[in-house]
Amino acid sequence: MLKPLAAILTAAGMTLATAQSEVEIFSWWAGDEAPALEALIDVFEAENPDIEIINATVTGGSGVNARAVLKTRMLGGDPPSSFQVHAGEELIGTWVTADRMEDLTDLFEEQGWMDVFPERMIEQISTEDGIWSVPVNIHRSNVLWYVPGNLDEWGVSVPADWDEFLGETCPTLQGQGVTPLAIGQNWTVQHLWESVALAELGPEQYGALWDGSLAFNDPAVVDAFATFADVMECTNDDFAGLSWQQATDRVVGGDAAFNIMGDWAAGYMTTTLELEPGEGFGWAASPGTDGHFMWLSDSFGLPVGAPNRDATIEWLRVAGSKAGQDAFNPVKGSISPRLDSDLSQYNAYLQSAAEDWSSDVKVGSLVHGTVAKETFMSEFATVIEIFLSTGSAESAANAAQAIATQVGLGQ
Amino acid sequence: MGTLAGAHPWRVWRDPLRQNDRITAFLMLLPSVVLLAVFVYGFIGRTVWVSMTNWGADATQALALNPQLEFVGLGNYRKLFTSVIDVRFRQDLVNTFFFTLFFILGTLALGLALAMLLDRKVRFESVFRTIFLFPFALAFIVTGTVWRWMLQPQGGVNILPELVGLPRLNFRWITTREQVWQFDWNTVPAFLIGALAAGLLWGAWQAWRLQDGRKPVRSGTLGALGAIGLGYALLGTPGIQLLPYPEPHGFNLAFIGILLAAIWQMSGYTMALYLAGLRGVPEELREAARTDGASEFQVYRHVVFPLLGPITLSAMIILGHISLKIFDLIWVMAGADNATTDVPALLMYLRSFRANQFAEGAAIAVVLLLLVAMVIVPYLRSSLRGEVRR
């Protein structure tokens, strides 16, 4: 009885005593991803021994629950010092447009970040009025995962595009009772959709979807939905109940040949399943997207009215620094967006991703908040549900366009 | 009250002791009245207000510190019932209807069956009673987690038939996309009006029967209204067109898994209610019926079940509002994104906190409130009336 009470009293006392030097970091990095955040916090605390970090996490993949908690806090006028948010439209379309974030241009210029972060990326995290967050990592969405030994056994190779996959790879595998492509619950289906759409539309047209210059019911997009429908014929039919890890497990366990997932799957396979990159698992750009890097990024921003603004800016500085990012990313299983990161600390997969990051055409992910505002992103789940229950490319494309019009996509 | 029976009300009020009592009572009630006024009725009022604004339609205002909201009347409701994208909301209503129906039927039937078995003076009755009641003590979160594991396609329930040498089941309990009993959304008004008309006709017949035809105008009016309504419904409600195209809805088989878990959890509770009810049936009544030559079935049919009516009604009300509000069980078993097992409460959460469409979320909340009110208010009325009578 007394112990918790004493702890509360002590905590309250400490809050009073150190109110000036406390930073509350709000994120969804719990569980497998917690050690990476800890590594970043360690760097921060080594440089700033007098500032205390309060690590506030809300569990739930891709921040689905954390974002809801964050919204209630922000609406209640109780913003955390800094919060994790997907860089790009998820931040801009929700928080910047509502005037809840501070411009970080000064910090970027002072730290020389204008030169170390890729220009295309800075564009995507900026509006005319400023730069809005500090990206701490880069994940790639369009990656095809497989087990090299299994492919040899089944006599298939990595398909270069969806035509090859649908024409040869899929029938060969199905003939042997192997699931050609493993997927999981709704958002992983959307994740597959964005890779198929990028392949079928190409980076230009794919990008045009998000600024509103290409309609979803355009014949090209309907065709992409039709290809997507064919691809869905090559997937496991019990997907709705599987997490992305379980879909990856199907590939590793030899029940399925391929899986399209973001490269956090590499982190899962190396760290949790203890597989060697290149031997235990192999990777390639998803079919038809070689040379295109569909990216997403976690970032931290500065909410208006954040408690302890100066200490929070110091947190942002460390989060964007080379030391901070090179401590964080190898543990997280992602790469640093900085072009000057020390690659020797990263594993084989991450080194290859970093190489692609510096040379590939960069396009943003829909499902992970880069290119479309949250309202569209969330309602796109309904589009996929409409598609799954009707099986009609037309209806899905029309529904997507109806939502895009309604939310004013690209405006 | 008893001691003051016969005292003149005015004298009661003037009596300083009584007055003191009243002030004390008022002060004691005041905190909860204030809290209820603010945290229940105040928030209901605010939700209704929000549901009639455009909160969320404009991203610059959705999450602003002081959102500037515009009044849009019933626009959000119209959208929910007519727009292409909100097909999901309409299917959610259909899901809720079927879920509520089967949940109440299943729970009542299983609860009654268990209670009747226990009522036969079995040995270790209290042990069985505890076992059957135990699931009720669990949170839906726990029930959901356990049943999600048991309903996995590869294991649990699906391999049960193997124990008796039968082939294993291959049903995807929670994730199947199969839909049965499909109907067009445009026929819903016909169903509703038809049901209402049938109710009127039944009322007319009852009135006629009970009053031996002494008030022919009243039962005649009811009957005529009912006949007109029924005819209108049978003609397909000309003049009411909800959607310009057919939109199929039906019962999603994925709900069978959810129903299993929910019925398993709540049937112990109805068993306890029914057991108390059965014990309350005087033994003399049964004896009298048996003496009159009633079979055991007839004893139940004509003596016991009619006496259990009020209990069934209470149980239906309590189960009904649980099933209309169900959220956590489905959240745990199927997740929020699986539209085949979606219900309005989940969609309300998704719309509000993922898509930032707060006004639409509020509109869904108000629809849910109205549905729950339809169940609760008649019950409150009848039970309040009962208290006054007492």
Side-chain angles (χ1 to χ4, degrees), chain A residues 8-91:
Chain A
I8 291 168
L9 286 177
T10 328
M14 277 165 61
T15 316
L16 287 178
T18 60
Q20 282 312 302
S21 50
E22 220 170 47
V23 179
E24 187 193 7
I25 304 301
F26 184 93
S27 77
W28 59 82
W29 284 327
D32 284 348
E33 294 166 317
L37 181 59
E38 291 295 335
L40 183 55
I41 290 175
D42 286 347
V43 173
F44 179 86
E45 283 179 340
E47 291 182 30
N48 301 281
D50 55 331
I51 303 181
E52 195 194 346
I53 294 274
I54 301 174
N55 185 359
T57 52
V58 175
T59 55
S62 208
V64 285
N65 302 328
R67 292 207 297 268
V69 175
L70 178 67
K71 280 168 198 170
T72 54
R73 283 191 60 174
M74 294 286 275
L75 282 172
D78 173 33
S81 307
S82 184
F83 59 83
Q84 176 191 4
V85 64
H86 284 136
E89 277 298 318
E90 187 179 310
L91 173 69

Side-chain angles (χ1 to χ4, degrees), chain B residues 143-145 147-148 151 174 257-258 261-262 328-335:
Chain B
T143 314
T145 309
W147 277 93
R148 187 187 64 209
L151 295 176
I174 300 167
I258 313 275
D328 39 4
L329 182 70
I330 299 180
W331 177 280
V332 176
M333 288 185 77

Side-chain angles (χ1 to χ4, degrees), chain A residues 156-174 180-181 192 196 199-200 223-235 258 287:
Chain A
V156 292
S157 55
V158 177
D161 53 30
W162 288 112
D163 279 347
E164 183 186 341
F165 177 82
L166 293 169
E168 295 168 32
T169 321
C170 177
T172 312
L173 288 165
Q174 280 178 332
L181 191 64
L192 172 63
V196 174
E200 297 303 293
D223 282 351
F225 265 107
T227 308
F228 176 63
D230 295 338
V231 173
M232 288 298 291
E233 293 295 313
C234 298
T235 58
F258 298 101

Side-chain angles (χ1 to χ4, degrees), chain B residues 43-172:
Chain B
F43 284 172
I44 288 178
R46 178 162 165 79
T47 305
V48 173
W49 155 246
V50 166
S51 77
M52 295 190 186
T53 67
N54 66 343
W55 193 6
D58 176 4
T60 60
Q61 295 302 325
L63 284 149
L65 200 51
N66 289 304
Q68 302 297 312
L69 308 182
E70 278 168 37
F71 183 77
V72 297
L74 297 176
N76 291 312
Y77 296 93
R78 192 179 313 125
K79 189 172 163 295
L80 283 178
F81 285 96
T82 57
S83 88
V84 183
I85 315 160
D86 286 303
V87 51
R88 179 159 175 177
F89 171 73
R90 297 188 283 274
Q91 178 60 41
D92 287 358
L93 285 182
V94 175
N95 289 346
T96 300
F97 171 77
F98 282 116
F99 179 74
T100 305
L101 184 71
F102 293 127
F103 173 60
I104 291 180
L105 284 180
T107 313
L108 289 181
L110 190 59
L112 182 60
L114 290 175
M116 281 164 60
L117 289 177
L118 285 188
D119 195 41
R120 321 247 2 146
K121 316 265 179 323
V122 288
R123 288 182 73 189
F124 309 117
E125 186 206 309
S126 61
V127 175
F128 283 115
R129 209 171 48 207
T130 314
I131 290 174
F132 293 146
L133 197 53
F134 183 63
F136 178 57
L138 297 176
F140 267 135
I141 296 285
V142 179
T143 314
T145 309
V146 171
W147 277 93
R148 187 187 64 209
W149 289 336
M150 294 206 291
L151 295 176
Q152 285 297 313
Q154 318 288 337
V157 173
N158 273 355
I159 54 173
L160 278 183
E162 284 186 348
L163 295 180
V164 289
L166 293 169
R168 63 167 21 193
L169 293 173
N170 198 18
F171 186 61
R172 285 180 282 119

Side-chain angles (χ1 to χ4, degrees), chain A residues 64-65 67-68 71-72 74-75 77 93-95 97-100 185-187 237-242 246 250 373-375 378-379 381-382 384-386 388-389 399 402-403 406-407, chain B residues 55-67 79 83-88 152-154 172 175 177 331 334 337-340 347 349-358 360:
Chain A
V64 285
N65 302 328
R67 292 207 297 268
K71 280 168 198 170
T72 54
M74 294 286 275
L75 282 172
T94 299
W95 299 114
T97 184
D99 224 4
R100 302 299 296 271
Q185 64 206 46
N186 188 302
W187 74 264
D237 58 4
D238 61 345
F239 58 87
L242 304 183
Q246 287 172 309
R250 294 272 170 101
K373 55 179 99 176
E374 237 180 336
T375 312
S378 166
E379 296 289 334
T382 304
I384 292 295
E385 284 294 341
I386 289 175
L388 291 175
S389 39
I403 295 166
Q406 190 200 324
V407 307
Chain B
W55 193 6
D58 176 4
T60 60
Q61 295 302 325
L63 284 149
L65 200 51
N66 289 304
K79 189 172 163 295
S83 88
V84 183
I85 315 160
D86 286 303
V87 51
R88 179 159 175 177
Q152 285 297 313
Q154 318 288 337
R172 285 180 282 119
T175 58
R177 304 198 84 86
W331 177 280
D337 296 308
N338 206 0
T340 45
L347 190 66
Y349 173 85
L350 294 182
R351 279 283 152 82
S352 303
F353 293 109
R354 290 218 189 137
N356 305 339
Q357 303 288 319
F358 295 102
E360 273 181 56

